[in-house]
Amino acid sequence: MRKRRGFLAASALSVAAVVGALAAPAQAASYDGSCNADEACLYRYADYTGGIYDTIQSKQSYTGTYYGTSVAIDNTVSSVKNRDTSDNLWLYQNAYWSGDTWGVPKGASTNLGGSFDNMPSSHCWSPATSGCPGG
């Protein structure tokens, strides 16, 4: 009888885990090599090619690499997609949201032009039209 109770309890927990997993909403995975909804997608080359760095977080300093590579993103970004639908994405020339800025409106994509190509070192999200607080 004791073994049967243990089996029934384990079966009930297994069913609850499966039902819970099916009911959970899908979430975008940050830094998975795909440009998903709500992410900033930074590309090594123009026209959204080369390596990708995708994130849902503001970054005070670019210390990471493009997904699946050893190429640092700091000062190497040439194109950007802002997949967020509520906030603008602000790219900054220097770390800690300082220096020249380049705004990417919510839902927009752009090739970084002129002197800002290969310049970004940080970014943040903001509903403001003039950059981020403290930036």
Side-chain angles (χ1 to χ4, degrees):
M1 185 68 155
R2 188 176 301 237
K3 283 186 180 180
R4 185 167 176 86
R5 244 185 271 155
F7 174 77
L8 290 175
S11 296
L13 288 174
S14 296
V15 170
V18 169
V19 170
L22 293 175
Q27 296 293 321
S30 190
Y31 196 66
D32 65 356
S34 296
C35 192
N36 300 307
D38 299 322
E39 289 186 326
C41 303
L42 313 175
Y43 294 87
R44 174 67 184 101
Y45 300 119
D47 300 320
Y48 324 107
T49 60
I52 181 175
Y53 182 86
D54 56 309
T55 182
I56 57 174
Q57 304 294 323
S58 291
K59 299 290 182 181
Q60 289 184 334
S61 179
Y62 287 164
T63 57
T65 60
Y66 293 100
Y67 184 80
T69 75
S70 60
V71 178
I73 62 169
D74 190 34
N75 297 318
T76 64
V77 177
S78 291
S79 57
V80 178
K81 292 182 180 181
N82 178 0
R83 296 290 311 275
D84 193 89
T85 57
S86 59
D87 287 326
N88 299 314
L89 179 66
W90 290 96
L91 303 169
Y92 286 83
Q93 176 185 5
N94 301 319
Y96 302 100
W97 307 318
S98 64
D100 290 339
T101 61
W102 185 292
V104 183
K106 55 188 172 186
S109 301
T110 188
N111 283 313
L112 301 178
S115 63
F116 211 76
D117 188 27
N118 294 316
M119 289 297 293
S121 289
S122 60
H123 76 261
C124 62
W125 304 98
S126 174
T129 57
S130 61
C132 299

